Amino acid sequence: MPQNPYILKGHADRLAKWLVPNLSAIHLVAVFIALLLIGLLLVPVAQVMIVAFQDASTGAATLQNFIDFFQTSLFRESFWNSFYVSAMSVVVATAIALPLAYITTRFHFSGSILIQSLGFIPLIMPPFVGAVAMQLIFGRNGTINLIIREKFGFDIPFMNGLNGVILVQSIHYFPFILINLSASLRNIDRSMEEAAQNLGSHGLRLFRRIVFPLAMPGYIAGAALVFIKVFDDLGTPLLLNVNNMLAPQAFLRISSIGISDPMGYVISVILVIFSILSLWASFLFMRGKDYTTVQKGGGGMAKRILKTREKFLSYGVVIFILLLVLSPHIGLLLLSFGTIWSYAPLPDGYTLQNYVTMWESSKTFITNTILYASIAATLDVIVGTAIAYIVLRTGIFGRKGLDYLATAALAIPGVVLGIGYLRTFHNLDVPFTNEPMASWWVIIALALMIRRLPYALRACTAALQQVSISLEEAAESLGATKRRTIQKIVIPLMAGGILAGFVTSFATAAVELSATIMLVSSNNDAPLAYGIYLFMQTPSGRGAGAALGIVAVIVVAIGTIASQVIIERNKKIKSTGDSH
Amino acid sequence: MKHTIYASIATLALTASGAMADEKITVITSFPDSMTGPIEAAFETAHPEFDLEILNKKTSAGVKYIQEIAGANTADIFWASAPDAFEVLKNDNLLADVSVTSEGIPELIGSYPLNDPDGFYYGFAGAGYGIMWNERYLAANNLQPAKEWAELAQPEYHGHVGMSAPSRSGTTHLTVETLLQGEGWDNGWAKWKRIAGNFSTVTERSFGVPDGVNTGNFGLGIVIDFFGFSSKASGFPVDFAYPTITALVPANVAVVAEAPNSEGAVMFIEYLLTPEGQAVLLNPAIMRLPINPATYVNAPEGFPNPFKDSTIGAAVEFDVAKSGSRYNLVNSMFDVMITYRLDDLRDAVGAIQAAEALHADGSNTKATALIAEAWALIDANPIDEAKSLDADFAGIFTKKRKKVTDKVGERQAEVEQRWDAMVVANYASAKELANQAAGM
């Protein structure tokens, strides 16, 4: 009941404020994002996961399925295997990413641009294509083993069982660590390093005690992503035919013909819970530590010029690592130009025919992919930046919930999301047409958006964590509104992180398959990865599929470089503008 | 941003208007592009009023898709190899009962009925299972191609064989069931486990097997015939043979229940059965066995003709009802005993093979006894054939909820855990016994 009707009559604008207390623009944004996540993530996934809590024969609510899970030795073993593979992948991925990040950010090294552009490429390969190419190079009878067997008479089991999964996953996902770690290293305040040097610290000790700890937000963000991603990844273990891990177990049980075993859904629930727990652990680790730095003009740490010997060493390390991480692409390139490649170190002959075959039937796949991935990545960075800001800068009730919910998307196997979308949207019609929403192409873009949101969110959060709140306070105390502060101060300072988020989301969305394969309802709407999958299902289509894979890599690489150029140009315009 | 939105709306409008031009027939299929492409082209030339919209999904994903969209169905045709997938859809009332007219198509292929007796799905091509091998791989490893299932269990093939799991691929399921019916339940499983002891891998997709053989990742694979023929036709150094015990089964096509274009769907099926439609099957990239005997006149030399060569697929009288009643149970048993415990099984079988090689003359009776005991442990089955055909027990694996009051005695997870404990223990003791024998 209004207490003073007189005032209300005269001041209509106050009425709105009284009716919706505290609902500033930022609150509205938070509510909107919450609705978006509930509608596009929670509801569809719940539609599928509810099976885990039902008695398979009666449909009554029960927790018996979870008791069964822990009583089954195969599942316990799978859980342990998944954990082991994820942890080892983080270790191997760190071993790959750390030298690259360190060399590019600490030294004047002419190969830096090469690393920055090539180091990103491994992410942009559909997982099954990567595994196919890796088999050709590192497999039991791949190029390397055929050569060393002939020369030295022994084999190296690179791709055997869990080893293979760890190798493929580390090579595929190390860019998460590289990108986030490099961004963090670049954002470190030079004065910190100088202070340490003044106090006599240098070399490895300086790195171990000052530089690396300061880069922690980026490293932890990247490592947590790698861990969760590997834990939930389905494509790689399946392609290497490793079944005794959790995600493949879930998939095999959900997608077997005619079987409705609830254990698949139970495993999905456990995957989600475990991923959220690991994320929470990474938050706990970071809690109570302040990583922000005030100085922004200086542009990161001091760079040293390498001595000749060091330069050779650096080039050696960098080239070795790049050869390793690009081996799937080298394999794919050979496959795309090769005629027949069977039990031989290299293809029997070379041809352009694969590209001709591919081009005749794949143009729509390419344009669709660009459209979907652009929509998904653009929405991702917008939503990601908003969530990061809400979590770190406001006291809105349930803000952590937004973060957890968005991040939980990481843990949802693509198949589960795909089935959930079919269940949720099939009975809704697209406005103005009579098509069911589930077969509308926009749903594919939205599914990609949800699947890749966690990447953008982590990148944006890490970027905002390094922006000191005192810069915003300074702007506000000079009279800028909240909105203007966000526009003019926060977002420009986060630009690097936002770009990293956009690129990661775009690139990985462009090659996503597991959710889209459920949702594609017409070949005209199909993205690239689906096209590669189609080709790769036939003996005669391997070369053409590889050619399409190469096109995917090129498309994404162009996207990446273009966005980098745009940001650089903006920076230049801004800095010249500032000096006037 | 705005431009993107406008562009998207424009694109949408264009796609929407484009789709209305022809009468659309939506086909859900597991067949690859290289097969659907030529057939689509031939059909659209013969019937220009129709536009075939092909949607490629794995068989299992296709079944799931049709189940999920049943509320507002947009699919007209389901088109895939495995008859079992059609059985699943038929039992869910998701297939339409249509009448299709054709000429010159026999009732049986091998000993398998070509069409569903209730008229829900129709065979349009034949396929048989066999062994495919990579010539270069075998030459490099000094191996001869295996031509019978039993040969695959011989020790020289240890680690050289690949296969898909029956739960992953309907066609693989038929191979497994064929051997179980041809050799008997216990002998059949024993044979599968001894062959599986030689496996390099169990692939997730049925195409993973020809792919593995083509690249030389493993040397021999258990595959459906057209994978062998089409790989060879694409130029890979591979070949294929039918073993004596194999089943010829039809690849099928059906109209989905409440199809938006049911008439067009029937037209498509009828076209597949015409002499022109059948002739497309002999395209080098397809290589499926036509079911119209007259089409074989144009077949390339050496192409098998099941209507003339009675040795193909004749040894087994395939019992569809038996297969259907224990479908999921057989899949689950294969996964528990082989797919998920492949490392244990391979180690145990490898150890026994090594012990056998050491005591090949049989003079050491103690060692021979130990080896026999070890084989018995490998061969042991958790359930007998009668149990596999017990409808209540098999029901644990299908979980069709009929009434809320229906109560199933045990849960699948419980049963699988019990089987798993048994096979893990058996494989471990078998390996131990073999090592003991080898040490004698």
Side-chain angles (χ1 to χ4, degrees):
Chain A
M1 266 287 120
Q3 286 174 346
N4 195 338
Y6 176 76
I7 295 181
L8 277 172
K9 257 182 202 164
H11 299 78
D13 53 329
R14 277 202 189 168
L15 174 73
K17 216 167 188 186
W18 178 84
L19 272 176
V20 272
N22 290 330
L23 267 194
S24 65
I26 198 88
H27 282 79
L28 284 174
V29 169
V31 170
F32 177 73
I33 291 176
L35 288 177
L36 193 75
L37 290 176
I38 289 170
L40 291 178
L41 180 63
L42 212 53
V43 172
V45 171
Q47 297 246 23
V48 180
M49 295 235 173
I50 195 152
V51 181
F53 299 94
Q54 283 176 338
D55 187 313
S57 49
T58 62
T62 177
L63 284 176
Q64 182 61 47
N65 298 327
F66 287 86
I67 298 170
D68 283 342
F69 176 89
F70 289 105
Q71 278 175 350
T72 304
S73 51
L74 178 69
F75 294 148
R76 289 198 303 266
E77 191 188 307
S78 303
F79 185 87
W80 168 246
N81 283 344
S82 285
F83 187 84
Y84 167 78
V85 165
S86 311
M88 283 307 291
S89 299
V90 171
V91 171
V92 178
T94 305
I96 297 173
L98 197 58
L100 294 184
Y102 188 70
I103 290 172
T104 46
T105 48
R106 297 282 295 164
F107 304 114
H108 285 289
F109 180 64
S110 48
S112 294
I113 302 201
L114 199 69
I115 297 172
Q116 272 162 13
S117 15
L118 291 185
F120 184 74
I121 302 276
L123 267 187
I124 47 178
M125 176 167 269
F128 59 97
V129 181
V132 167
M134 294 281 282
Q135 281 282 18
L136 287 169
I137 307 257
F138 293 106
R140 197 161 75 114
N141 296 311
T143 310
I144 295 197
N145 270 329
L146 282 177
I147 292 173
I148 58 174
R149 193 181 309 148
E150 194 183 336
K151 294 250 156 69
F152 308 104
F154 67 92
D155 283 2
I156 304 176
F158 296 107
M159 299 294 283
N160 270 15
L162 299 181
N163 280 350
V165 184
I166 294 172
L167 182 68
V168 174
Q169 299 284 32
S170 324
I171 287 183
H172 188 66
Y173 287 120
F174 88 90
F176 283 140
I177 297 184
L178 178 66
I179 294 168
N180 287 300
L181 185 61
S182 311
S184 268
L185 283 173
R186 245 175 251 124
N187 274 343
I188 291 174
D189 193 335
R190 183 179 294 180
S191 58
M192 297 281 183
E193 194 192 0
E194 284 165 355
Q197 279 169 333
N198 283 340
L199 293 169
S201 182
H202 61 271
L204 263 186
R205 183 183 158 85
L206 176 70
F207 181 76
R208 199 160 43 86
R209 301 294 296 269
I210 307 293
V211 178
F212 192 65
L214 280 172
M216 263 303 165
Y219 177 72
I220 294 287
L225 263 185
V226 173
F227 185 89
I228 296 172
K229 215 45 225 162
V230 174
F231 198 80
D232 294 321
D233 184 44
L234 180 66
T236 308
L238 276 187
L239 266 141
L240 299 174
N241 302 311
V242 173
N243 297 310
N244 294 7
M245 290 175 62
L246 279 189
Q249 280 287 331
F251 174 78
L252 295 178
R253 277 156 205 279
I254 288 175
S255 65
S256 287
I257 305 172
I259 290 187
S260 47
D261 181 2
M263 293 324 279
Y265 302 95
V266 172
I267 298 172
S268 306
V269 172
I270 286 174
L271 283 175
V272 173
I273 293 174
F274 190 79
S275 302
I276 294 173
L277 278 181
S278 1
L279 208 67
W280 180 63
S282 79
F283 283 148
L284 275 193
F285 185 83
M286 307 286 299
R287 200 172 59 180
K289 293 176 187 160
D290 185 5
Y291 291 97
T292 61
T293 48
V294 180
Q295 181 232 11
K296 279 293 158 193
M301 294 184 301
K303 286 194 176 179
R304 202 156 64 77
I305 294 169
L306 287 165
K307 294 184 199 115
T308 320
R309 202 167 52 89
E310 291 172 328
K311 206 176 257 173
F312 275 109
L313 187 69
S314 304
Y315 267 110
V317 170
V318 166
I319 287 171
F320 174 76
I321 293 179
L322 285 182
L323 269 184
L324 176 70
V325 300
L326 293 180
S327 56
H329 297 75
I330 298 168
L332 194 66
L333 197 67
L334 286 170
L335 189 59
S336 75
F337 285 110
T339 49
I340 292 290
W341 191 355
S342 172
Y343 201 78
L346 290 172
D348 294 357
Y350 297 91
T351 172
L352 284 174
Q353 186 54 43
N354 295 328
Y355 283 86
V356 177
T357 315
M358 176 273 293
W359 189 246
E360 279 165 2
S361 53
S362 303
K363 274 164 258 170
T364 40
F365 295 145
I366 297 168
T367 45
N368 284 342
T369 299
I370 295 174
L371 179 67
Y372 300 163
S374 312
I375 295 177
T378 310
L379 291 176
D380 276 343
V381 291
I382 294 172
V383 176
T385 311
I387 295 180
Y389 188 84
I390 290 167
V391 170
L392 293 174
R393 291 292 190 265
T394 71
I396 296 176
F397 172 76
R399 60 192 185 281
K400 277 276 162 62
L402 276 187
D403 190 356
Y404 289 139
L405 192 55
T407 310
L410 263 186
I412 310 294
V415 197
V416 172
L417 196 71
I419 294 176
Y421 271 43
L422 281 181
R423 277 188 198 170
T424 312
F425 298 114
H426 199 77
N427 293 322
L428 297 175
D429 278 352
V430 180
F432 312 118
T433 69
N434 278 333
E435 266 183 290
M437 218 160 192
S439 46
W440 192 29
W441 64 268
V442 172
I443 286 292
I444 301 177
L446 290 178
L448 291 176
M449 189 272 278
I450 288 290
R451 299 243 320 141
R452 300 313 184 209
L453 178 59
Y455 299 176
L457 176 59
R458 290 272 72 74
C460 295
T461 307
L464 187 60
Q465 259 168 348
Q466 290 188 320
V467 176
S468 172
I469 195 158
S470 53
L471 292 172
E472 290 159 61
E473 286 162 356
E476 278 174 55
S477 70
L478 289 171
T481 58
K482 250 270 114 65
R483 188 197 164 106
R484 201 172 147 78
T485 313
I486 294 174
Q487 256 176 8
K488 294 283 174 186
I489 307 291
V490 180
I491 290 181
L493 284 175
M494 286 171 68
I498 292 178
L499 174 72
F502 180 87
V503 167
T504 323
S505 295
F506 177 86
T508 51
V511 294
E512 143 86 42
L513 181 70
S514 53
T516 43
I517 201 163
M518 284 308 294
L519 291 173
V520 168
S521 63
S522 141
N523 274 5
N524 287 333
D525 291 344
L528 251 172
Y530 183 85
I532 302 176
Y533 170 82
L534 282 191
F535 277 125
M536 291 269 183
Q537 289 305 301
T538 65
S540 52
R542 278 159 44 95
L548 190 53
I550 293 291
V551 170
V553 172
I554 292 172
V555 164
V556 178
I558 290 175
T560 312
I561 293 166
S563 47
Q564 232 147 10
V565 168
I566 292 167
I567 290 280
E568 289 295 320
R569 194 197 290 152
N570 279 354
K571 249 191 218 160
K572 257 181 216 149
I573 293 169
K574 216 167 277 158
S575 55
T576 49
D578 288 347
S579 64
H580 286 299
Chain B
M1 191 54 221
K2 255 186 195 150
H3 286 289
T4 326
I5 294 171
Y6 290 143
S8 322
I9 292 170
T11 322
L12 178 68
L14 281 176
T15 25
S17 59
M20 313 243 166
D22 291 321
E23 212 182 322
K24 199 168 81 172
I25 307 175
T26 306
V27 180
I28 312 293
T29 180
S30 68
F31 295 126
D33 215 25
S34 61
M35 167 164 172
T36 57
I39 296 179
E40 181 183 356
F43 175 70
E44 285 172 0
T45 317
H47 295 277
E49 70 274 24
F50 292 113
D51 176 26
L52 217 53
E53 174 80 41
I54 305 274
L55 254 189
N56 189 296
K57 293 181 191 289
K58 267 203 306 222
T59 308
S60 54
V63 170
K64 263 255 144 58
Y65 182 77
I66 289 178
Q67 286 169 339
E68 295 292 344
I69 65 170
N73 180 41
T74 50
D76 294 307
I77 295 257
F78 184 63
W79 194 23
S81 278
D84 330 291
F86 289 85
E87 279 296 317
V88 171
L89 288 176
K90 179 181 151 190
N91 290 336
D92 289 355
N93 297 323
L94 293 174
L95 296 184
D97 181 5
V98 292
S99 72
V100 166
T101 44
S102 61
E103 259 174 53
I105 306 286
E107 289 287 309
L108 295 173
I109 180 161
S111 50
Y112 201 104
L114 206 43
N115 302 322
D116 174 37
D118 303 326
F120 284 96
Y121 54 90
Y122 294 84
F124 73 94
Y129 303 87
I131 301 165
M132 174 183 174
W133 61 87
N134 184 316
E135 315 256 6
R136 290 186 196 167
Y137 183 105
L138 295 192
N141 288 283
N142 290 321
L143 291 170
Q144 291 303 310
K147 304 226 164 135
E148 292 292 336
W149 300 126
E151 288 175 39
L152 286 176
Q154 288 165 4
E156 65 262 33
Y157 296 115
H158 192 74
H160 295 306
V161 186
M163 184 183 172
S164 184
S167 59
R168 311 306 312 147
S169 129
T171 53
T172 308
H173 176 90
L174 281 165
T175 320
V176 171
E177 182 68 42
T178 303
L179 199 66
L180 294 182
Q181 290 191 10
E183 300 260 333
W185 177 260
D186 285 317
N187 276 341
W189 274 120
K191 204 161 243 180
W192 274 125
K193 282 185 272 185
R194 290 183 184 208
I195 294 173
N198 282 342
F199 278 179
S200 153
T201 185
V202 175
T203 68
E204 188 265 323
R205 300 164 303 152
S206 53
F207 183 68
V209 183
D211 204 33
V213 176
N214 285 343
T215 54
N217 201 27
F218 42 84
L220 304 109
I222 297 168
V223 299
I224 193 163
D225 51 12
F226 56 83
F227 277 144
F229 298 139
S230 61
S231 298
K232 197 178 171 188
S234 313
F236 285 99
V238 296
D239 214 337
F240 174 88
Y242 292 107
T244 322
I245 295 186
T246 186
L248 276 181
V249 288
N252 301 287
V253 60
V255 179
V256 180
E258 303 195 17
N261 186 359
S262 174
E263 216 170 293
V266 173
M267 283 290 265
F268 177 66
I269 296 181
E270 285 178 349
Y271 177 77
L272 278 179
L273 302 175
T274 61
E276 303 87 66
Q278 288 285 303
V280 186
L281 297 173
L282 294 173
N283 180 312
I286 302 178
M287 289 286 181
R288 308 238 171 180
L289 306 176
I291 52 165
N292 190 338
T295 312
Y296 285 88
V297 178
N298 302 318
E301 218 178 275
F303 193 75
N305 180 350
F307 299 102
K308 275 228 180 94
D309 182 353
S310 56
T311 60
I312 303 170
V316 187
E317 191 83 25
F318 194 85
D319 184 343
V320 194
K322 202 180 199 180
S323 162
S325 67
R326 63 186 185 198
Y327 185 81
N328 291 333
L329 181 145
V330 166
N331 287 348
S332 169
M333 262 179 92
F334 190 96
D335 279 345
V336 170
M337 297 196 298
I338 296 171
T339 316
Y340 300 148
R341 295 299 175 197
L342 183 60
D343 289 343
D344 308 58
L345 176 61
R346 188 171 39 211
D347 287 356
V349 169
I352 302 176
Q353 288 170 346
E356 271 185 333
L358 283 171
H359 299 285
D361 56 353
S363 58
N364 188 333
T365 46
K366 236 173 150 188
T368 319
L370 282 177
I371 290 170
E373 207 182 321
W375 274 128
L377 281 168
I378 298 283
D379 295 348
N381 265 338
I383 56 168
D384 59 15
E385 174 141 41
K387 184 107 179 168
S388 81
L389 294 171
D390 172 358
D392 281 346
F393 186 71
I396 295 175
F397 297 86
T398 49
K399 305 247 186 56
K400 272 268 153 56
R401 210 190 308 147
K402 293 193 180 78
K403 282 185 291 226
V404 182
T405 46
D406 282 357
K407 192 74 191 153
V408 177
E410 275 185 302
R411 294 180 306 280
Q412 184 176 348
E414 281 178 292
V415 177
E416 288 188 352
Q417 166 62 17
R418 205 169 57 233
W419 292 352
D420 183 60
M422 174 188 153
V423 297
V424 169
N426 277 1
Y427 294 164
S429 355
K431 188 176 169 187
E432 194 143 307
L433 291 175
N435 287 340
Q436 265 180 43
M440 281 175 175

